[in-house]
Amino acid sequence: NAGVTQTPKFQVLKTGQSMTLQCAQDMNHEYMSWYRQDPGMGLRLIHYSVGAGITDQGEVPNGYNVSRSTTEDFPLRLLSAAPSQTSVYFCASSYKLRTGSETGELFFGEGSRLTVL
Amino acid sequence: QQQVKQSPQSLIVQKGGISIINCAYENTAFDYFPWYQQFPGKGPALLIAIRPDVSEKKEGRFTISFNKSAKQFSLHIMDSQPGDSATYFCAASMPYSGGGADGLTFGKGTHLIIQP
């Protein structure tokens, strides 16, 4: 199994450009999410999805859009890139979102490093 | 408001020593406490996790100690090796309540270096 696959691994944008970070998982996981990782800030949740057709905002959603048309794919869109969006982005998935006493291991992709000039 | 506070931010330990990373939380609704390990250029991966009904969990050289009354938990790495050099994140989780967050909160991470 490939697990969680992110593309591209590296990207340089100019301010105002748009782009989409791709994320695909082959584990039939219901839950998918996007995090950004910045030095000293840890992992911050951008958006997440509990299933196809359902998305919700996380801690830092401004400037990002998501959609979930299939179970496998969860793309992250930057409509007008800003230097503050320079970061490493991680997509993660889990079998399901915790709704009770069960636990859910998050499986992360290898990350997409984005630089906005 | 940071719900999970992790310290130290960075840590240097000699090979063979004990590495200790601490986390504290405020929300008593948290009921699952995982640690994630991240190597350079890779995504985080689950290392070990604990529930608050036990005070300690050990897997090989990695041990979580949990103090429910103090709302603190820590990761101990015994006989630390250069291959343990990585960033470690503590986290806390509660059952999803539909309130606009996914129920998992990460600490800010500890950059651990094990010197040969």
Side-chain angles (χ1 to χ4, degrees):
Chain A
N1 285 341
V4 178
T5 303
Q6 291 183 233
T7 56
K9 292 189 183 302
F10 302 93
Q11 183 71 49
V12 178
L13 290 178
K14 294 181 179 179
T15 297
Q17 287 185 317
S18 63
M19 78 157 300
T20 299
L21 299 178
Q22 301 292 345
C23 176
Q25 53 90 9
D26 61 359
M27 298 174 283
N28 200 30
H29 284 171
E30 290 185 5
Y31 175 78
M32 297 186 73
S33 56
W34 277 101
Y35 290 85
R36 60 177 291 174
Q37 182 177 18
D38 303 289
M41 300 297 292
L43 293 161
R44 293 184 292 171
L45 182 68
I46 304 172
H47 284 286
Y48 67 97
S49 169
V50 299
I54 306 170
T55 64
D56 206 345
Q57 296 181 350
E59 179 185 357
V60 288
N62 292 340
Y64 307 95
N65 282 347
V66 292
S67 60
R68 184 94 179 269
S69 58
T70 67
T71 300
E72 295 79 17
D73 300 300
F74 191 44
L76 179 71
R77 298 183 183 85
L78 286 72
L79 298 180
S80 180
S84 61
Q85 294 179 303
T86 293
S87 186
V88 180
Y89 292 85
F90 288 98
C91 180
S93 73
S94 179
Y95 174 62
K96 64 177 293 186
L97 190 65
R98 287 193 65 204
T99 55
S101 60
E102 78 282 4
T103 61
E105 176 180 356
L106 267 183
F107 292 85
F108 285 83
E110 294 203 334
S112 297
R113 183 176 294 274
L114 175 67
T115 301
V116 183
L117 303 176
Chain B
Q1 180 182 1
Q2 184 184 354
Q3 295 194 60
V4 179
K5 294 185 178 180
Q6 183 173 347
S7 63
Q9 188 172 5
S10 62
L11 179 63
I12 299 174
V13 175
Q14 296 296 316
K15 178 182 176 181
I18 302 174
S19 304
I20 302 174
I21 304 171
N22 300 299
C23 284
Y25 64 97
E26 292 294 326
N27 192 339
T28 55
F30 289 140
D31 66 349
Y32 176 64
F33 302 89
W35 285 88
Y36 282 79
Q37 179 187 53
Q38 182 184 30
F39 293 109
K42 302 294 185 181
L46 180 64
L47 178 65
I48 187 173
I50 196 170
R51 285 196 174 278
D53 52 348
V54 297
S55 60
E56 185 175 282
K57 183 174 182 179
K58 183 176 181 179
E59 290 185 3
R61 295 184 293 109
F62 299 90
T63 300
I64 301 178
S65 297
F66 187 85
N67 186 330
K68 187 175 182 178
S69 61
K71 293 186 286 186
Q72 296 175 347
F73 58 109
S74 60
L75 177 70
H76 296 237
I77 306 175
M78 311 299 289
D79 187 25
S80 299
Q81 299 297 313
D84 298 328
S85 297
T87 299
Y88 292 82
F89 293 96
C90 65
S93 174
M94 70 178 98
Y96 177 67
S97 61
D102 69 343
L104 183 66
T105 300
F106 284 93
K108 292 190 175 183
T110 296
H111 182 50
L112 174 65
I113 296 174
I114 307 301
Q115 289 188 333

